[in-house]
Amino acid sequence: MTDAEGARPHVGANRWNEAIGVVIDEVRDDLVRAHVEAGPRHHQPYGVVHGGAWCSIVEEVASTGAGMLALRRDGAGVLGVSNQTDFLRSHSTGRLEVTARPLHAGRRQQLWEVRIERASDGVLVARGQVRFQVLDELPGARRERLARGEEGGAP
C-alpha cells in the first residue's frame, strides 16, 4: 500500500505522526526533508517544545528514510533500537526544518542523523541519531505466521 501521493508504503495509519505534525517533504536514499509547525501542542509546562517532541520528530524523520531505504533493498522494514537526541536551544512556536541523512546504511543495521533547525534564522535547535535493525519480516506478519503454527525465524 502507498499513501495518497503514492510515495510511501505503509502498513497502517501513522497516528503518532499525525499527533506531532511532521510533514515529510522529500525522501531519497541519502536524505529526508521534513517540517513541523511547532506550537502549544508540543509544549511542556514552561511553554517550550517538550524533549519528547524533539525525540519523536527525530525518530519519525529518520524512520521514514531508513524504512524506505530498507524497502528498496528488499527488506520488510526497520525497527528503531536506539534514539539519542540532544536539545540545543529552546523553541516555542514557528516552523522547524528537519533533515535526516544516513551515517551508515548496512544490510542489517542503519544509523541516521537528524538536524532540526528554526526556519526563521537557520539556528540548530536539536539534533539526534537513530539506530535501526533492518527486518526480514514485520512483527505482525511474524505473529500471524507463528499463530498458524509455522516454524522458522528468530524468536
Side-chain angles (χ1 to χ4, degrees):
M1 294 175 90
T2 58
D3 66 8
E5 292 127 15
R8 294 186 298 149
H10 62 81
V11 294
N14 188 341
R15 300 288 186 224
W16 186 245
N17 184 47
E18 291 172 12
I20 61 174
V22 173
V23 177
I24 303 295
D25 298 313
E26 178 183 8
V27 181
R28 302 187 328 222
D29 286 353
D30 64 341
L31 173 73
V32 177
R33 290 187 198 279
H35 70 275
V36 177
E37 292 293 338
R41 71 177 170 174
H42 301 102
H43 290 176
Q44 45 94 312
Y46 296 136
V48 296
V49 174
H50 189 285
W54 294 128
C55 294
S56 293
I57 293 166
V58 165
E59 180 101 14
E60 178 63 29
V61 178
S63 293
T64 297
M68 291 301 295
L69 183 55
L71 288 171
R72 281 192 282 280
R73 293 178 172 176
D74 295 324
V78 296
L79 187 63
V81 295
S82 175
N83 178 332
Q84 177 187 344
T85 302
D86 299 307
F87 321 133
L88 304 173
R89 290 184 175 77
S90 64
H91 180 78
S92 293
T93 60
R95 186 177 172 117
L96 298 164
E97 299 292 342
V98 187
T99 57
R101 297 179 187 277
L103 298 176
H104 172 74
R107 187 175 56 82
R108 304 306 296 158
Q109 291 195 2
Q110 295 184 34
L111 178 65
W112 284 69
E113 179 181 46
V114 179
R115 297 174 55 89
I116 304 173
E117 299 174 349
R118 285 194 300 244
S120 63
D121 59 9
V123 170
L124 183 67
V125 294
R127 57 118 357 242
Q129 64 183 37
V130 183
R131 186 169 54 92
F132 298 94
Q133 182 69 38
V134 178
L135 303 174
D136 294 328
E137 181 177 43
L138 295 177
R142 181 175 180 277
R143 276 192 303 275
E144 290 172 10
R145 180 177 50 76
L146 293 174
R148 291 188 308 266
E150 298 173 13
E151 297 295 325

